Amino acid sequence: MSHGPERRGIHVDQSELLCTKGCGFYGNVAWQGLCSKCWREEYQQTRHKQIQEDHALAERLQMEEEAAYANNHQGAAQSQPAIAPFSKFEERKTKESRKVNTVTKFFTPSAKTPPKKDSVPGEAQSTPSPSVSRKPLEMDRTTREFINFLKTLKPGREIFKQCRAFTESMACKRDLGADELSECVQDFYQNLSDRLQTHYKGSSERVESVMDEVERYMMTRLYDEVFCPETTDDEKKDLDVQKRIRALHWVTIEMLCVPVDEEIPEVSDNVVKAITDVIEMDSKRVPRDKLTCITRCSKHIFNAINTTKKEAASADDFLPTLIYIILKANPPRLQSNIQYITRFCNPSRLMSGEDGYYFTNLCCAVAFIEKLDGQSLNLSAEVFELHMSGQVSPQRPQAAPSPPGSAAFSEMNERLDLLTGLGVRQERVVEGARRLEGDLIDWRDGVEHKVQDVLERFPLEMHPPASSAIDADNVENDLLPPPLQPQLFAG
């Protein structure tokens, strides 16, 4: 990022957002400034070069083993390990080539595989299997929506079969790295998009809508496997970014030269909505939905700037405000969400359009926060370190005093009078509370004194009841007949 010496604040030239190869599409910090298309080309070339180097190394090892065998006159049984290194590299090369051609096989119909009757567009759906019924409700709902969408398309049944086969095959690739998983998904996107354009003669808008639904279906099912995988350090980066943002809590809106006045209710409302949208991004499962949250956040930022400045916002206004929103929001798993969008989003959305523009700005804002220093905030290195360590807290600049007689001066006096009246009322409330507390104490003491006085004058005497025989008070006892005596039975 370039910082003009005569201008204060954060300034980024629009050319810095574009691909460094000059193709005209938006670049990405995660792709070393390249767009998704150029990055894939670079990645594939690097991978192909690595395979060639591994193959050459295997051949060299084989030649060395054969030379050692010839010199030592070893038996034929011992010659088998000489081929082992080459066989391992051949196996690795075969796996790499198989990975590249995996997606192509999805588009080749197989006569050996009978058509399935479950969940195929255009056919009656049977009762879902127990494994399907155990899936989360969101997956089932997304699958139903995807099937209903494909019913309107002629190749809908074939598209669904390919997507289902691909998602099932991805379950066997959990041990692959994030870049390899991304490559598989991006290859599938590219092959399916090319097939829709060539074989089914779909318009670019129609193909784009189909690819959006394909992305929604696939990434909803693959989200748990590919979001923040264990093979990456995404979680560590998330913690580092959150810790960095918490350490920058002292950065004020004036330091970033943000053209936003939060005293205006409409502006404050847009700021809150922008913060809500960027936080909500983490709750979405589909890359496109995450991009939608970023786009909504950015539009709220533009509305806040436009309301404050009473004119259209510029790029120099937008990026500092976006940085300020991120610092206030501290979104959860920010780096993981950025990496997830970068790896598995439909590449056409990141290369152009408003979604790509706003996402590129978000990546720039996060990179700026990670490298933020005193010079970026027009502070010396010593003062910056004092702020970061918490030894100094920033003070907002005081407004210049208004001349007597002005409207601002009158309003200030009215507010001072109001504050003075509030202070007097508060003192009265506190004094009344103290009197009430004293009255309650006196009342409690008075009640205790009266109870004690009554107990002293009229002591409570407890007399146990006199013991008496049963029916002692019955005067008719004497008239009762004598009790019956036992009689021997003379049988």
Side-chain angles (χ1 to χ4, degrees):
M1 299 181 184
S2 61
H3 301 278
E6 72 280 355
R7 298 183 62 182
R8 185 172 180 268
I10 303 168
H11 308 283
V12 176
D13 191 271
Q14 292 301 295
S15 60
E16 299 181 21
L17 303 178
L18 301 178
C19 178
T20 54
K21 278 198 171 183
C23 62
F25 296 117
Y26 291 119
N28 194 316
V29 178
W31 295 326
Q32 300 176 2
L34 300 174
C35 66
S36 60
K37 180 180 179 182
C38 296
W39 171 253
R40 289 191 64 210
E41 294 176 354
E42 291 284 340
Y43 178 79
Q44 291 175 354
Q45 291 176 2
T46 304
R47 187 179 63 179
H48 184 65
K49 182 180 178 181
Q50 184 65 39
I51 294 175
Q52 291 179 341
E53 292 177 354
D54 292 344
H55 190 73
L57 177 61
E59 291 181 346
R60 182 170 62 84
L61 292 175
Q62 183 183 12
M63 293 176 62
E64 292 177 357
E65 292 287 343
E66 291 176 353
Y69 166 74
N71 293 333
N72 297 330
H73 301 284
Q74 295 179 353
Q78 298 177 352
S79 64
Q80 186 65 24
I83 310 177
F86 181 74
S87 61
K88 291 182 180 180
F89 281 95
E90 281 291 335
E91 183 182 356
R92 178 177 178 179
K93 180 180 178 182
T94 304
K95 288 182 179 180
E96 293 288 347
S97 60
R98 189 184 299 115
K99 183 175 20 177
V100 176
N101 298 327
T102 299
V103 181
T104 307
K105 294 180 182 179
F106 290 140
F107 298 96
T108 304
S110 176
K112 298 180 181 180
T113 305
K116 297 182 180 180
K117 296 182 180 181
D118 54 333
S119 303
V120 178
E123 298 182 3
Q125 299 184 16
S126 59
T127 304
S129 62
S131 61
V132 175
S133 61
R134 287 194 297 265
K135 292 184 178 297
L137 295 178
E138 184 175 358
M139 292 185 183
D140 296 340
R141 178 175 55 83
T142 303
T143 302
R144 289 194 299 270
E145 293 176 354
F146 186 54
I147 292 174
N148 294 332
F149 173 79
L150 293 178
K151 285 181 180 179
T152 61
L153 303 177
K154 183 178 180 181
R157 183 183 305 175
E158 186 66 22
I159 294 174
F160 182 78
K161 289 181 179 179
Q162 294 167 10
C163 294
R164 182 175 58 186
F166 179 77
T167 53
E168 292 175 355
S169 68
M170 289 292 289
C172 303
K173 302 177 181 180
R174 296 177 180 177
D175 296 334
L176 295 179
D179 292 336
E180 287 77 9
L181 294 174
S182 173
E183 188 71 13
C184 293
V185 174
Q186 295 296 333
D187 284 342
F188 182 82
Y189 285 159
Q190 186 64 42
N191 282 277
L192 181 58
S193 177
D194 294 342
R195 188 174 181 86
L196 290 174
Q197 292 177 353
T198 55
H199 289 72
Y200 302 117
K201 308 298 181 182
S203 62
S204 58
E205 293 79 7
R206 189 60 173 170
V207 171
E208 192 70 20
S209 63
V210 173
M211 294 306 301
D212 288 340
E213 295 300 324
V214 168
E215 175 191 315
R216 179 179 300 278
Y217 167 75
M218 287 175 42
M219 300 318 300
T220 300
R221 299 177 66 87
L222 298 175
Y223 179 81
D224 295 333
E225 286 77 16
V226 300
F227 182 85
C228 192
E230 296 180 356
T231 56
T232 65
D233 59 346
D234 292 347
E235 185 175 359
K236 179 180 180 299
K237 292 180 179 178
D238 290 333
L239 298 177
D240 292 341
V241 171
Q242 283 197 340
K243 182 178 179 181
R244 176 69 172 176
I245 293 177
R246 285 196 297 267
L248 293 170
H249 66 91
W250 51 269
V251 177
T252 62
I253 197 171
E254 292 81 13
M255 292 180 179
L256 294 171
C257 297
V258 176
V260 168
D261 184 5
E262 293 188 81
E263 297 296 331
I264 303 175
E266 183 179 353
V267 174
S268 178
D269 184 58
N270 278 286
V271 169
V272 172
K273 290 180 179 178
I275 293 174
T276 303
D277 288 331
V278 74
I279 293 176
E280 186 183 359
M281 174 179 61
D282 183 61
S283 65
K284 305 299 181 181
R285 300 173 68 93
V286 183
R288 182 191 173 191
D289 294 342
K290 294 181 182 291
L291 279 178
T292 301
C293 293
I294 298 173
T295 301
R296 288 203 309 265
C297 169
S298 302
K299 290 184 176 180
H300 288 312
I301 290 175
F302 273 109
N303 291 336
I305 297 173
N306 295 338
T307 305
T308 302
K309 296 183 64 177
K310 307 298 184 183
E311 61 182 14
S314 63
D316 288 338
D317 298 330
F318 172 68
L319 186 58
T321 311
L322 179 60
I323 294 172
Y324 174 69
I325 293 297
I326 295 176
L327 290 178
K328 291 195 67 174
N330 198 359
R333 301 193 293 185
L334 182 56
Q335 281 288 2
S336 292
N337 283 288
I338 291 178
Q339 293 296 333
Y340 177 71
I341 295 173
T342 300
R343 293 166 184 157
F344 303 107
C345 183
N346 186 358
S348 61
R349 287 197 169 274
L350 302 182
M351 295 166 59
S352 59
E354 63 176 8
D355 289 342
Y357 174 76
Y358 294 138
F359 179 70
T360 303
N361 276 273
L362 176 66
C363 296
C364 290
V366 175
F368 180 87
I369 291 173
E370 293 176 340
K371 300 177 181 179
L372 189 65
D373 55 10
Q375 184 180 1
S376 305
L377 302 175
N378 297 283
L379 300 175
S380 63
E382 295 77 9
V383 175
F384 180 80
E385 290 301 328
L386 290 175
H387 284 306
M388 293 294 291
S389 62
Q391 300 180 22
V392 178
S393 59
Q395 297 180 355
R396 296 183 179 274
Q398 299 294 331
S402 302
S406 63
F409 188 78
S410 301
E411 184 178 358
M412 181 183 66
N413 289 333
E414 292 177 0
R415 293 185 178 181
L416 288 175
D417 294 339
L418 180 61
L419 290 175
T420 303
L422 290 175
V424 174
R425 290 173 59 187
Q426 183 181 8
E427 292 179 358
R428 294 176 181 173
V429 171
V430 172
E431 184 64 27
R434 291 174 180 172
R435 288 198 302 267
L436 178 61
E437 183 181 7
D439 294 340
L440 289 175
I441 294 175
D442 295 340
W443 176 80
R444 183 189 62 186
D445 294 341
V447 171
E448 291 179 354
H449 179 72
K450 290 181 180 180
V451 171
Q452 190 65 27
D453 184 42
V454 170
L455 291 177
E456 291 176 355
R457 287 189 297 166
F458 305 100
L460 183 61
E461 297 180 358
M462 301 294 294
H463 298 285
S467 59
S468 59
I470 299 176
D471 295 335
D473 298 334
N474 192 345
V475 296
E476 299 180 357
N477 285 342
D478 297 336
L479 303 179
L480 292 176
L484 294 176
Q485 297 296 329
Q487 301 285 336
L488 292 177
F489 179 72

